[in-house]
Amino acid sequence: MPKLNENYLNLKESYLFSEIAHRVSEYTKANPDKKVIRLGIGDVTRPLSENVIAALHEGVDAMASSDTFKGYGPEQGYEFLRNAISEYYKKNGVDVEPKAIFISDGAKSDTGNITDIFGNDNVIMIPDPVYPVYVDSNIMCGRNNIVYISATADNNFLPMPDRSVHADLIYICSPNNPTGAIYNHEQLKEWVDYALENEAVILFDSAYEAFISDPSLPRSIYAIEGAKKCAIEFCSLSKTAGFTGTRCGYTVVPTELVFKASNGKEMSLNAMWNRRQSTKFNGTSYIVQNGAAAVFTDEGMAQCQENIKFYQENAKIIASVLDKKGIRYFGGVHSPYIWFECPNGMDSWTFFDYLLNNAQVVGTPGAGFGENGKNFFRLTAFGGRENTIEAMERFDKLF
Ligand code: PLP
């Protein structure tokens, strides 16, 4: 009998979305005439932009002829895409060399796989509430030394470093899923300083950077001085360009990230991630990378921004009803997520049922993201316009 990875026994039941699906399905069975509107799961609804579609077709056509056919590509991603992403960073005032950029099939894989290049004895700092992948990917490899940092309404869901606590790895997501909160330069500088003092590495998830509409807010951790010596950044085209089903993301591992092994030998995280990817990953498909490169052209950026503006308008519609009702909320400006306090002291699952039963609107109970989410609720701006308006009209009439 094989010995199993029994760390899996330590995972908390991941029942959030299955429980939501179960409750919604029970409700629709009992109420077949009622129209249920889903503003829960963080998936996009707008189609890919025209120039991405054209580039995807072009990629498919390249596969049809022996002159242009592509077999295995570089595990790190094609140079044309790494260069395009490097240029994109430059446009946002950040210098990231193509060698530091690794293309993948998305940020979920990379945020989960990054555990491969770190040892087992690290103190891992993770906010609560949080995108669950950070916690579960560490538990799966037996890393239980997790220090949770509290994100609450009192700190605007933006926890700051506590210098009396040491960490080796720090997960930060900004703009945040699920809270929609975003760190400014000064706040991120404090995190970078803390990481440098502790010789720690920040694992910075910027999957929602494209939603930042205020140019004074940092879209990348590398906008902060010193970050290249202490941070890895994960990004994704899922929300930037509607690639949730097409699959493409990228991870930046600066060549400056060099640490001493226990035998005194220097180890480069860039070289280690390169080795990890070359060993376990055979690259993102050429067709998808060709489509992804189109995102980073001026035309592509303009088309993606149209979709993002559409979602931002949805967020405004949601926020205006919460304003009217006097409900305290976070996010919704530089983020597609609106995170609000459940009305009348309800806990998040009670409010979930209340909203489903009385307004036929589905959201996500904050309890699914951590203890600090238990009285909060997440709505997303990724719905269609009519559905968002109708959902919020029903919400408005509730209480
Ligand atoms: N990081 C965060 C914070 C997310 O919310 C998500 C998706 O919801 C991801 C990463 C995953 O992105 P991808 O679709 O690129 O795997």
Side-chain angles (χ1 to χ4, degrees):
M1 200 170 76
K3 305 259 186 314
L4 303 182
N5 180 351
E6 296 191 0
N7 294 316
Y8 278 62
L9 294 171
N10 299 327
L11 292 167
K12 280 209 191 110
E13 203 62 47
S14 159
Y15 79 122
L16 177 64
F17 290 109
S18 55
E19 180 60 22
I20 291 173
H22 171 70
R23 291 189 192 201
V24 173
S25 137
E26 291 293 300
Y27 180 82
T28 45
K29 247 186 261 157
N31 303 277
D33 54 320
K34 293 265 172 44
K35 178 186 164 196
V36 171
I37 300 178
R38 290 173 170 79
L39 298 183
I41 293 179
D43 199 354
V44 296
T45 51
R46 309 274 294 165
L48 294 174
S49 64
E50 265 174 40
N51 82 321
V52 167
I53 292 291
L56 289 170
H57 280 295
E58 199 184 276
V60 172
D61 287 342
M63 293 301 188
S65 146
S66 53
D67 298 342
T68 48
F69 171 79
K70 301 279 188 296
Y72 289 124
E75 293 95 345
Q76 304 78 4
Y78 282 98
E79 231 165 75
F80 66 78
L81 182 54
R82 298 173 91 191
N83 289 338
I85 293 170
S86 175
E87 286 300 313
Y88 173 63
Y89 271 108
K90 215 172 272 168
K91 277 186 200 147
N92 287 321
V94 173
D95 181 31
V96 171
E97 57 175 334
K99 187 182 177 207
I101 299 168
F102 295 82
I103 312 299
S104 72
D105 65 348
K108 191 183 205 175
S109 315
D110 288 355
T111 50
N113 292 332
I114 201 73
T115 54
D116 275 9
I117 63 169
F118 295 104
N120 274 340
D121 300 329
N122 289 303
V123 178
I124 300 155
M125 189 172 265
I126 301 184
D128 169 6
V130 76
Y131 176 56
V133 172
Y134 312 152
V135 178
D136 288 355
S137 54
N138 278 289
I139 302 276
M140 282 174 180
C141 45
R143 300 183 190 159
N144 303 320
N145 200 352
I146 298 175
V147 177
Y148 287 97
I149 43 170
S150 232
T152 63
D154 289 343
N155 56 25
N156 291 317
F157 288 94
L158 294 170
M160 296 306 296
D162 171 353
R163 295 228 153 41
S164 67
V165 180
H166 168 79
D168 301 301
L169 295 174
I170 304 154
Y171 285 86
I172 298 178
C173 175
S174 177
N176 191 269
N177 177 16
T179 68
I182 175 168
Y183 284 108
N184 65 26
H185 271 268
E186 292 69 37
Q187 291 166 324
L188 279 187
K189 177 82 174 88
E190 270 200 53
W191 276 112
V192 166
D193 289 346
Y194 169 83
L196 292 169
E197 281 158 34
N198 282 272
E199 291 189 84
V201 173
I202 294 173
L203 301 170
F204 190 79
D205 188 337
S206 64
Y208 297 94
E209 58 86 20
F211 280 81
I212 299 174
S213 47
D214 176 348
S216 75
L217 290 167
R219 297 171 75 126
S220 162
I221 188 75
Y222 305 117
I224 312 301
E225 203 193 325
K228 281 193 189 158
K229 291 207 166 79
C230 67
I232 290 174
E233 178 159 291
F234 305 94
C235 201
S236 165
L237 295 192
S238 284
K239 312 298 157 74
T240 304
F243 269 54
T244 52
T246 308
R247 310 303 306 142
C248 192
Y250 50 95
T251 288
V252 178
V253 188
T255 48
E256 289 87 340
L257 287 173
V258 177
F259 294 91
K260 268 211 171 75
S262 53
N263 67 0
K265 204 175 156 195
E266 292 205 319
M267 294 180 86
S268 146
L269 296 193
N270 178 283
M272 289 172 76
W273 184 245
N274 189 39
R275 183 63 190 261
R276 190 266 169 218
Q277 291 296 82
S278 311
T279 303
K280 295 193 182 181
F281 182 62
N282 245 341
T284 306
S285 93
Y286 170 77
I287 299 166
V288 168
Q289 291 192 61
N290 207 51
V295 170
F296 296 99
T297 60
D298 288 343
E299 193 193 3
M301 276 290 137
Q303 290 182 6
C304 291
Q305 271 305 315
E306 283 302 302
N307 283 342
I308 286 174
K309 277 200 196 111
F310 177 91
Y311 296 132
Q312 281 168 334
E313 194 54 41
N314 282 350
K316 273 191 201 147
I317 291 164
I318 297 171
S320 70
V321 173
L322 296 176
D323 280 332
K324 182 173 163 199
K325 312 291 276 180
I327 295 173
R328 185 156 66 147
Y329 65 91
F330 300 82
V333 182
H334 305 291
S335 155
Y337 297 120
I338 293 106
W339 177 253
F340 62 91
E341 202 161 17
C342 299
N344 304 327
M346 280 185 249
D347 70 64
S348 64
W349 278 110
T350 305
F351 184 68
F352 175 88
D353 290 332
Y354 177 80
L355 196 60
L356 177 60
N357 285 304
N358 296 293
Q360 295 77 49
V361 172
V362 181
T364 312
F369 300 99
E371 184 59 23
N372 284 337
K374 66 180 190 296
N375 293 109
F376 282 81
F377 204 76
R378 191 189 77 174
L379 288 179
T380 89
F382 287 129
R385 179 61 42 79
E386 277 173 25
N387 274 347
T388 304
I389 292 172
E390 190 178 338
M392 293 318 288
E393 278 171 0
R394 293 185 198 168
F395 191 108
D396 192 10
K397 289 189 194 123
L398 266 183
F399 38 81

XYZ file of all heavy atoms in Angstrom, residues 7-82:
601
model
N -0.842 14.972 4.799
C -1.090 16.397 5.058
C -2.471 16.795 4.537
O -3.074 17.745 5.035
C -0.041 17.259 4.359
C 1.334 17.037 4.948
O 1.491 16.978 6.165
N 2.330 16.885 4.087
N -2.939 16.051 3.527
C -4.265 16.355 2.981
C -5.356 16.195 4.042
O -6.430 16.790 3.935
C -4.576 15.459 1.767
C -3.956 15.959 0.479
C -2.582 16.066 0.337
C -4.741 16.316 -0.610
C -1.996 16.524 -0.832
C -4.174 16.782 -1.788
C -2.797 16.889 -1.892
O -2.236 17.342 -3.060
N -5.064 15.370 5.066
C -6.040 15.208 6.151
C -6.190 16.496 6.959
O -7.168 16.684 7.664
C -5.601 14.074 7.100
C -5.585 12.666 6.506
C -4.932 11.681 7.477
C -7.008 12.219 6.183
N -5.174 17.357 6.853
C -5.211 18.606 7.638
C -5.915 19.754 6.914
O -6.032 20.849 7.444
C -3.782 19.050 7.980
C -3.074 18.009 8.801
O -3.707 17.321 9.590
N -1.766 17.867 8.607
N -6.328 19.480 5.662
C -7.030 20.541 4.929
C -8.440 20.691 5.473
O -9.107 19.688 5.747
C -7.115 20.180 3.439
C -5.806 20.183 2.673
C -5.994 19.490 1.317
C -5.318 21.611 2.459
N -8.855 21.942 5.601
C -10.260 22.161 5.989
C -11.118 21.819 4.786
O -10.735 22.065 3.640
C -10.471 23.626 6.366
C -10.007 23.936 7.755
C -10.835 25.104 8.336
C -10.205 25.588 9.614
N -9.588 26.916 9.473
N -12.279 21.252 5.035
C -13.217 20.925 3.962
C -13.429 22.169 3.095
O -13.726 23.244 3.619
C -14.536 20.514 4.610
C -15.413 19.639 3.744
C -14.766 18.308 3.396
O -14.233 17.648 4.302
O -14.782 17.969 2.217
N -13.212 22.007 1.774
C -13.388 23.183 0.916
C -14.827 23.179 0.423
O -15.129 22.720 -0.665
C -12.416 23.104 -0.254
O -12.849 23.905 -1.294
N -15.718 23.642 1.255
C -17.118 23.453 0.915
C -17.816 24.732 0.475
O -18.986 24.720 0.149
C -17.846 22.771 2.072
C -18.216 23.669 3.214
C -19.547 23.806 3.608
C -17.250 24.389 3.899
C -19.885 24.642 4.654
C -17.589 25.214 4.941
C -18.904 25.346 5.308
O -19.239 26.175 6.334
N -17.067 25.847 0.389
C -17.712 27.125 0.110
C -18.576 27.099 -1.152
O -19.791 27.258 -1.099
C -16.662 28.241 0.033
C -17.193 29.627 -0.330
C -18.137 30.159 0.732
C -16.045 30.606 -0.549
N -17.928 26.855 -2.314
C -18.686 26.960 -3.553
C -19.617 25.762 -3.773
O -20.677 25.896 -4.369
C -17.752 27.212 -4.740
C -17.177 28.607 -4.672
C -15.838 28.827 -4.357
C -17.998 29.711 -4.856
C -15.330 30.116 -4.250
C -17.497 31.012 -4.750
C -16.162 31.212 -4.442
N -19.229 24.586 -3.217
C -20.141 23.448 -3.355
C -21.367 23.654 -2.462
O -22.491 23.319 -2.849
C -19.442 22.123 -3.055
O -18.866 22.170 -1.787
N -21.164 24.228 -1.291
C -22.304 24.494 -0.403
C -23.228 25.562 -1.021
O -24.455 25.453 -0.962
C -21.787 24.947 0.971
C -22.858 25.254 2.012
C -23.774 24.068 2.363
O -23.361 22.915 2.140
O -24.909 24.314 2.835
N -22.617 26.568 -1.642
C -23.426 27.592 -2.316
C -24.256 26.926 -3.421
O -25.469 27.125 -3.509
C -22.525 28.707 -2.915
C -21.890 29.531 -1.797
C -23.318 29.613 -3.863
C -20.860 30.554 -2.270
N -23.584 26.100 -4.231
C -24.272 25.432 -5.344
C -25.408 24.562 -4.811
O -26.525 24.539 -5.374
C -23.281 24.588 -6.138
N -25.145 23.864 -3.696
C -26.152 22.990 -3.109
C -27.376 23.798 -2.667
O -28.520 23.468 -2.988
C -25.526 22.240 -1.928
C -26.497 21.470 -1.116
N -27.128 20.336 -1.582
C -26.985 21.690 0.136
C -27.951 19.886 -0.650
N -27.889 20.697 0.404
N -27.121 24.902 -1.937
C -28.249 25.705 -1.432
C -29.048 26.331 -2.577
O -30.266 26.409 -2.516
C -27.742 26.790 -0.462
C -27.215 26.193 0.841
C -26.929 27.268 1.888
N -26.166 26.686 2.998
C -26.083 27.199 4.211
N -26.707 28.319 4.498
N -25.366 26.614 5.158
N -28.330 26.759 -3.626
C -29.024 27.378 -4.761
C -29.861 26.322 -5.495
O -31.013 26.561 -5.865
C -28.025 28.059 -5.729
C -28.723 28.559 -6.983
C -27.318 29.218 -5.031
N -29.281 25.127 -5.635
C -30.007 24.084 -6.358
C -31.255 23.655 -5.579
O -32.332 23.464 -6.169
C -29.047 22.938 -6.653
O -29.616 21.711 -6.422
N -31.163 23.549 -4.244
C -32.347 23.225 -3.428
C -33.418 24.296 -3.615
O -34.602 24.003 -3.744
C -31.966 23.166 -1.935
C -31.075 21.986 -1.568
C -31.798 20.654 -1.715
O -32.820 20.467 -1.036
O -31.334 19.820 -2.530
N -32.936 25.550 -3.618
C -33.894 26.662 -3.731
C -34.599 26.648 -5.085
O -35.824 26.790 -5.161
C -33.181 28.004 -3.527
C -34.133 29.173 -3.626
C -34.913 29.553 -2.534
C -34.301 29.859 -4.832
C -35.831 30.601 -2.650
C -35.208 30.902 -4.951
C -35.969 31.268 -3.858
O -36.870 32.287 -3.965
N -33.818 26.450 -6.160
C -34.444 26.502 -7.497
C -35.373 25.300 -7.715
O -36.379 25.424 -8.404
C -33.394 26.569 -8.630
O -32.382 25.610 -8.361
C -32.740 27.919 -8.742
N -35.040 24.169 -7.084
C -35.936 23.005 -7.193
C -37.283 23.325 -6.543
O -38.345 23.034 -7.072
C -35.288 21.796 -6.491
C -34.907 20.696 -7.489
C -34.412 19.456 -6.779
C -32.894 19.402 -6.758
N -32.329 18.582 -5.708
N -37.203 23.967 -5.384
C -38.437 24.290 -4.653
C -39.181 25.487 -5.265
O -40.378 25.645 -5.062
C -38.105 24.566 -3.185
N -38.443 26.327 -6.006
C -39.057 27.550 -6.572
C -38.711 27.694 -8.048
O -38.010 28.628 -8.445
C -38.544 28.796 -5.821
C -38.804 28.733 -4.336
O -39.887 29.049 -3.877
N -37.798 28.292 -3.587
N -39.208 26.763 -8.875
C -38.780 26.758 -10.291
C -39.172 28.018 -11.060
O -38.570 28.332 -12.082
C -39.486 25.524 -10.867
C -40.560 25.173 -9.901
C -40.171 25.706 -8.564
N -40.154 28.767 -10.555
C -40.614 29.961 -11.284
C -39.783 31.199 -10.954
O -39.921 32.234 -11.598
C -42.079 30.235 -10.926
C -42.275 30.323 -9.410
O -41.633 29.509 -8.686
O -43.015 31.225 -8.955
N -38.890 31.113 -9.980
C -38.139 32.305 -9.551
C -36.822 32.436 -10.320
O -36.111 31.452 -10.506
C -37.827 32.202 -8.048
C -39.061 32.270 -7.154
C -39.253 33.675 -6.704
C -40.529 34.005 -5.961
N -41.020 33.172 -4.953
N -36.521 33.680 -10.743
C -35.262 33.911 -11.472
C -34.152 34.253 -10.468
O -34.216 35.280 -9.774
C -35.439 35.068 -12.455
C -34.163 35.398 -13.211
C -34.335 36.648 -14.074
C -32.974 37.194 -14.507
N -33.044 38.562 -14.998
N -33.163 33.362 -10.415
C -32.044 33.572 -9.494
C -30.926 34.322 -10.223
O -30.589 33.980 -11.356
C -31.533 32.207 -8.966
C -30.244 32.366 -8.178
C -32.604 31.531 -8.119
N -30.371 35.367 -9.584
C -29.263 36.118 -10.196
C -27.990 35.842 -9.405
O -27.957 35.982 -8.178
C -29.563 37.632 -10.210
C -30.832 37.907 -11.015
C -28.381 38.411 -10.804
C -31.248 39.367 -11.064
N -26.948 35.453 -10.116
C -25.692 35.062 -9.453
C -24.659 36.181 -9.490
O -24.173 36.519 -10.556
C -25.129 33.804 -10.122
C -25.954 32.573 -9.833
C -25.483 31.372 -10.644
N -26.125 30.136 -10.188
C -27.359 29.778 -10.510
N -28.072 30.544 -11.301
N -27.878 28.646 -10.058
N -24.349 36.718 -8.334
C -23.258 37.711 -8.229
C -22.239 37.178 -7.226
O -21.742 37.903 -6.369
C -23.800 39.069 -7.790
C -24.804 39.768 -8.712
C -25.201 41.136 -8.168
C -24.247 39.952 -10.125
N -21.981 35.883 -7.328
C -21.136 35.226 -6.326
C -19.748 34.895 -6.836
O -18.756 35.503 -6.437
N -19.657 33.952 -7.737
C -18.343 33.442 -8.156
C -17.586 34.495 -8.964
O -18.172 35.235 -9.751
C -18.517 32.132 -8.954
C -19.043 31.063 -7.974
C -17.200 31.663 -9.557
C -19.302 29.725 -8.583
N -16.266 34.541 -8.769
C -15.446 35.577 -9.402
C -15.052 35.255 -10.830
O -13.873 35.354 -11.174
N -16.011 34.858 -11.656
C -15.684 34.598 -13.053
C -16.243 35.725 -13.920
O -17.297 36.280 -13.617
C -16.286 33.260 -13.505
C -15.619 32.734 -14.763
O -14.775 33.446 -15.346
O -15.940 31.605 -15.174
N -15.527 36.024 -15.000
C -15.957 37.107 -15.881
C -17.100 36.632 -16.787
O -17.310 35.425 -16.939
C -14.779 37.614 -16.743
C -13.702 38.225 -15.879
C -14.198 36.481 -17.594
N -17.807 37.595 -17.388
C -18.911 37.226 -18.280
C -18.763 37.836 -19.674
O -19.410 37.401 -20.613
C -20.265 37.696 -17.689
O -20.153 39.080 -17.349
C -20.637 36.898 -16.459
N -17.897 38.847 -19.822
C -17.725 39.498 -21.125
C -16.827 38.632 -22.021
O -15.872 38.022 -21.531
C -17.038 40.866 -20.975
C -17.668 41.766 -19.961
C -18.800 42.572 -20.486
N -18.417 43.542 -21.488
C -19.313 44.141 -22.287
N -20.590 43.828 -22.209
N -18.909 45.047 -23.152
N -17.107 38.586 -23.316
C -16.254 37.787 -24.207
C -14.863 38.404 -24.369
O -14.646 39.570 -24.030
C -17.012 37.799 -25.529
C -17.891 38.994 -25.472
C -18.204 39.260 -24.027
N -13.951 37.616 -24.920
C -12.606 38.124 -25.218
C -12.706 39.260 -26.231
O -13.635 39.299 -27.049
C -11.757 37.001 -25.825
C -11.445 35.821 -24.902
C -10.731 34.719 -25.685
C -10.605 36.252 -23.720
N -11.726 40.159 -26.177
C -11.787 41.306 -27.080
C -11.447 40.860 -28.509
O -10.841 39.813 -28.726
C -10.838 42.401 -26.616
O -9.520 41.918 -26.681
N -11.850 41.711 -29.458
C -11.715 41.358 -30.877
C -10.288 41.041 -31.282
O -10.026 40.091 -32.012
C -12.170 42.545 -31.731
C -13.595 42.461 -32.172
C -14.006 43.736 -32.886
O -13.195 44.282 -33.655
O -15.133 44.183 -32.625
N -9.347 41.864 -30.824
C -7.977 41.640 -31.313
C -7.358 40.400 -30.677
O -6.499 39.752 -31.281
C -7.105 42.896 -31.160
C -6.557 43.060 -29.785
O -7.244 42.789 -28.807
N -5.308 43.483 -29.708
N -7.824 40.015 -29.489
C -7.352 38.754 -28.895
C -7.897 37.592 -29.717
O -7.156 36.649 -30.047
C -7.781 38.640 -27.403
C -7.569 37.226 -26.886
C -7.007 39.642 -26.555
N -9.167 37.675 -30.065
C -9.769 36.608 -30.881
C -9.014 36.470 -32.207
O -8.667 35.361 -32.627
C -11.278 36.899 -31.134
C -12.066 36.779 -29.819
C -11.861 35.998 -32.213
C -12.174 35.376 -29.257
N -8.686 37.605 -32.830
C -7.956 37.558 -34.109
C -6.596 36.893 -33.912
O -6.177 36.057 -34.722
C -7.797 38.975 -34.665
N -5.926 37.227 -32.816
C -4.591 36.651 -32.563
C -4.682 35.160 -32.240
O -3.800 34.372 -32.614
C -3.906 37.411 -31.424
N -5.755 34.767 -31.571
C -5.936 33.328 -31.296
C -6.138 32.582 -32.617
O -5.531 31.528 -32.847
C -7.134 33.099 -30.359
C -6.953 33.527 -28.899
C -8.287 33.468 -28.143
C -5.925 32.668 -28.171
N -6.955 33.154 -33.502
C -7.161 32.525 -34.820
C -5.839 32.419 -35.580
O -5.532 31.389 -36.182
C -8.157 33.350 -35.653
C -9.589 33.085 -35.285
N -10.192 31.874 -35.484
C -10.537 33.873 -34.719
C -11.448 31.924 -35.060
N -11.686 33.124 -34.580
N -5.075 33.488 -35.508
C -3.770 33.515 -36.189
C -2.880 32.385 -35.634
O -2.199 31.691 -36.390
C -3.152 34.867 -35.871
C -2.057 35.364 -36.737
C -1.554 36.678 -36.133
O -2.168 37.728 -36.425
O -0.575 36.646 -35.350
N -2.950 32.195 -34.327
C -2.182 31.118 -33.681
C -2.617 29.757 -34.176
O -1.794 28.872 -34.442
N -3.913 29.565 -34.319
C -4.431 28.281 -34.817
C -3.952 28.069 -36.258
O -3.467 26.991 -36.610
C -5.985 28.249 -34.753
C -6.531 27.011 -35.455
C -6.457 28.294 -33.304
N -4.035 29.133 -37.061
C -3.614 29.007 -38.470
C -2.129 28.639 -38.564
O -1.743 27.863 -39.438
C -3.879 30.316 -39.235
C -5.369 30.515 -39.490
O -6.114 29.515 -39.381
O -5.786 31.657 -39.750
N -1.326 29.177 -37.649
C 0.109 28.851 -37.673
C 0.324 27.352 -37.491
O 1.266 26.765 -38.036
C 0.832 29.630 -36.575
N -0.569 26.717 -36.753
C -0.434 25.275 -36.492
C -0.760 24.431 -37.735
O -0.473 23.248 -37.769
C -1.371 24.863 -35.346
C -0.985 25.435 -34.012
S 0.679 24.914 -33.586
C 0.796 25.492 -31.914
N -1.374 25.067 -38.756
C -1.862 24.317 -39.915
C -0.814 24.125 -41.008
O -1.049 23.424 -41.978
C -3.090 25.026 -40.491
N 0.329 24.769 -40.839
C 1.307 24.669 -41.921
C 2.676 24.292 -41.337
O 3.052 24.777 -40.255
C 1.355 26.026 -42.633
O 2.653 26.291 -43.082
N 3.403 23.454 -42.050
C 4.669 22.975 -41.483
C 5.689 24.116 -41.332
O 6.580 24.056 -40.483
C 5.254 21.834 -42.315
O 5.335 22.247 -43.643
N 5.535 25.186 -42.114
C 6.477 26.317 -41.996
C 6.316 27.058 -40.679
O 7.269 27.617 -40.142
C 6.208 27.362 -43.092
C 6.424 26.780 -44.469
O 7.096 25.733 -44.537
O 5.908 27.365 -45.450
N 5.083 27.116 -40.203
C 4.809 27.953 -39.027
C 4.382 27.136 -37.807
O 4.197 27.685 -36.725
C 3.682 28.968 -39.349
O 2.608 28.256 -39.960
C 4.172 30.061 -40.269
N 4.243 25.831 -37.975
C 3.815 24.951 -36.890
C 4.727 25.107 -35.665
O 5.932 25.263 -35.793
C 3.858 23.493 -37.377
C 3.636 22.492 -36.286
C 2.353 22.234 -35.822
C 4.709 21.833 -35.688
C 2.147 21.330 -34.795
C 4.514 20.924 -34.656
C 3.229 20.677 -34.209
N 4.130 25.053 -34.486
C 4.914 25.124 -33.237
C 4.688 23.857 -32.424
O 3.545 23.486 -32.143
C 4.459 26.315 -32.381
C 4.586 27.662 -33.058
C 6.007 28.177 -32.965
C 6.151 29.589 -33.455
N 5.859 29.758 -34.906
N 5.757 23.241 -32.040
C 5.687 22.103 -31.109
C 5.909 22.620 -29.701
O 5.414 23.685 -29.339
N 6.713 21.880 -28.928
C 7.029 22.364 -27.582
C 7.641 23.761 -27.665
O 8.513 24.006 -28.491
C 8.081 21.469 -26.912
C 7.586 20.091 -26.516
C 8.228 18.947 -26.991
C 6.521 19.946 -25.641
C 7.801 17.678 -26.610
C 6.090 18.682 -25.265
C 6.725 17.549 -25.743
O 6.308 16.321 -25.369
N 7.188 24.626 -26.794
C 7.797 25.958 -26.745
C 8.695 26.051 -25.530
O 8.816 25.081 -24.770
N 9.314 27.201 -25.314
C 10.142 27.343 -24.112
C 9.266 27.236 -22.858
O 8.167 27.796 -22.829
C 10.720 28.755 -24.237
C 10.238 29.323 -25.511
C 9.256 28.407 -26.137
N 9.758 26.517 -21.852
C 8.949 26.334 -20.623
C 8.650 27.669 -19.954
O 7.656 27.823 -19.257
C 9.680 25.434 -19.616
C 9.861 23.989 -20.039
C 11.201 23.729 -20.699
O 11.900 24.696 -21.107
O 11.558 22.531 -20.810
N 9.541 28.631 -20.159
C 9.380 29.951 -19.509
C 8.396 30.845 -20.264
O 8.041 31.908 -19.783
C 10.731 30.689 -19.464
C 11.856 29.949 -18.802
C 12.473 28.869 -19.696
O 12.102 28.707 -20.865
N 13.391 28.104 -19.133
N 8.026 30.439 -21.451
C 7.155 31.271 -22.283
C 7.931 31.816 -23.463
O 9.173 31.912 -23.415
N 7.205 32.165 -24.535
C 7.858 32.719 -25.721
C 8.411 34.104 -25.413
O 7.803 34.872 -24.662
C 6.868 32.793 -26.889
C 6.649 31.447 -27.531
C 5.539 30.680 -27.199
C 7.569 30.942 -28.435
C 5.349 29.428 -27.774
C 7.381 29.687 -29.010
C 6.280 28.936 -28.675
O 6.101 27.701 -29.239
N 9.544 34.375 -26.042
C 10.195 35.675 -25.825
C 9.273 36.841 -26.194
O 9.259 37.866 -25.512
C 11.459 35.740 -26.664
C 12.657 36.165 -25.843
C 13.943 35.873 -26.580
O 14.244 36.622 -27.520
O 14.611 34.878 -26.215
N 8.485 36.651 -27.275
C 7.637 37.776 -27.713
C 6.674 38.190 -26.603
O 6.381 39.364 -26.424
C 6.913 37.450 -29.032
C 5.882 36.332 -28.971
C 4.615 36.565 -28.445
C 6.179 35.056 -29.461
C 3.672 35.532 -28.404
C 5.235 34.034 -29.423
C 3.981 34.267 -28.875
N 6.197 37.210 -25.821
C 5.255 37.555 -24.756
C 5.987 38.092 -23.522
O 5.546 39.064 -22.896
C 4.389 36.332 -24.392
C 3.321 36.577 -23.324
C 2.404 37.752 -23.693
C 2.463 35.320 -23.117
N 7.125 37.502 -23.204
C 7.908 38.001 -22.054
C 8.336 39.449 -22.308
O 8.282 40.292 -21.404
C 9.131 37.101 -21.813
C 8.733 35.665 -21.476
C 9.944 34.756 -21.412
N 10.512 34.657 -20.085
C 11.683 34.090 -19.818
N 12.432 33.616 -20.799
N 12.128 34.009 -18.574
